[in-house]
Amino acid sequence: MKVLCAGNLNYDILLPVDRMPDHHEKMDCQDAVLGFGGSAANTAYWLARLGCRVAVAGAVGDDAPGREHLASLTSVGVDTAGVDTVDITSGTAVVLSIGRDKRMIRAAGANRAGRFHEEVLEGCGVVFLSGANGPLLVQYAQAARKRGIMVFCGSGCLGEESILKQADGFLINSDELEGLTGLHDLEDGIMALDAQSAAVTLPTGGCLVSERIHLAKVEAPSVEPVDRTGAGDAFAAGYLAAYGRGESPEVRGRWGNLLAREVLMGRGARPEIEIPEELRSW
């Protein structure tokens, strides 16, 4: 099954810090981690690393970060035919990170300029949406629904009511769930989504998964994160890979947990990691 990830492609500047700066404070960190990010691109990257057929749609700038990002995705097998190169600076994110805590500043840049490429939907079984270009994502969602393709909504487009109306499934975190439903109780919240398929990652690890009235909690070993950047995107990739194979919601949640755990122990959205054996075996 082919997955299309439509949305953000970014250039990330990660600054690991010992603490968050105070007001007006200038502080130093020992190093900077430069790399590629963006929720849609990250999920596409990890799906490709898991051996899935995957395409990405969106836009990058006609600049060095944009060209290098496309080359990086192509090198792991991601189809980038749906990505436009535009005369706008590539999307950029600056992240201050310390263990479980992080602060992020994003400049959408080229992410708001992509065009709709209907041909990239050919052969798709799932479309995953997460990005800043709401009108573009609505086009992909509507076209996918007409073709009978499952539409998952990620964290990057929860403020777009027109996208939410098209979503069959959700892959989000607990804060996003509460903001979306207004419900503090997570089990009540995920059931209120009434989604064909949904997963909510938990702040202490693990996730809740649901399919309509089916609800389960999938535990994960507790770890002390090195950096949380991109862990949710990796979770989405593990979940979608298992979904494409027809696995149960519990297995999807476990695969998402496994991949997210590895990313949590590295720096940046796409650290050099070994894919867990359970995910390589298939």
Side-chain angles (χ1 to χ4, degrees):
M1 183 194 72
K2 176 183 171 184
V3 179
L4 172 66
C5 299
N8 284 0
L9 298 92
N10 286 341
Y11 182 67
D12 285 357
I13 303 170
L14 172 70
L15 302 176
V17 295
D18 297 324
R19 59 177 178 81
M20 294 299 169
D22 292 330
H23 187 57
H24 284 313
E25 180 184 11
K26 296 179 181 179
M27 61 180 290
D28 296 324
C29 64
Q30 291 188 352
D31 199 1
V33 180
L34 309 179
F36 303 114
S39 49
N42 290 337
T43 300
Y45 173 87
W46 290 117
L47 281 165
R49 288 285 309 275
L50 294 174
C52 300
R53 290 179 60 213
V54 58
V56 65
V60 296
D62 187 12
D63 49 29
R67 290 187 291 272
E68 291 170 10
H69 197 167
L70 292 184
S72 173
L73 291 170
T74 301
S75 71
V76 295
V78 177
D79 179 355
T80 61
V83 180
D84 293 312
T85 299
V86 298
D87 191 21
I88 303 173
T89 303
S90 289
T92 305
V94 178
V95 184
L96 301 182
S97 173
I98 175 173
R100 291 187 178 276
D101 196 9
K102 71 175 182 180
R103 305 286 191 276
M104 181 181 292
I105 302 172
R106 295 179 298 190
N111 286 311
R112 296 194 182 278
R115 296 176 296 115
F116 177 62
H117 295 266
E118 187 166 9
E119 67 276 10
V120 298
L121 290 167
E122 289 295 331
C124 281
V126 166
V127 169
F128 174 70
L129 306 174
S130 186
N133 192 338
L136 177 65
L137 299 188
V138 169
Q139 285 185 281
Y140 278 113
Q142 291 174 339
R145 291 293 295 273
K146 288 179 181 178
R147 292 168 173 253
I149 299 171
M150 180 79 170
V151 177
F152 277 92
C153 187
S155 61
C157 51
L158 297 181
E160 297 283 347
E161 185 66 29
S162 52
I163 297 175
L164 297 176
K165 290 179 179 179
Q166 304 291 331
D168 302 303
F170 295 86
L171 299 174
I172 56 180
N173 65 39
S174 57
D175 290 337
E176 293 159 346
L177 176 66
E178 185 172 351
L180 185 60
T181 64
L183 298 172
H184 181 67
D185 184 273
L186 298 181
E187 293 190 0
D188 289 345
I190 194 171
M191 297 307 289
L193 293 175
D194 191 31
Q196 290 186 35
S197 182
V200 176
T201 55
L202 305 176
T204 55
C207 62
L208 291 176
V209 295
S210 74
E211 280 190 339
R212 299 297 189 196
I213 63 171
H214 175 81
L215 174 67
K217 183 176 183 180
V218 183
E219 301 284 355
S222 179
V223 297
E224 192 57 41
V226 173
D227 170 38
R228 289 179 52 225
T229 306
D233 306 329
F235 176 90
Y239 186 96
L240 292 173
Y243 179 88
R245 220 179 77 150
E247 301 287 356
S248 69
E250 289 82 357
V251 172
R252 298 173 210 162
R254 187 169 76 244
W255 283 27
N257 288 342
L258 284 170
L259 189 55
R261 182 187 65 190
E262 297 301 314
V263 173
L264 283 168
M265 302 313 294
R267 293 201 187 279
R270 304 179 201 171
E272 290 294 330
I273 63 169
E274 287 290 329
I275 299 298
E277 178 61 31
E278 181 176 350
L279 305 190
R280 284 189 285 119
S281 63
W282 68 277

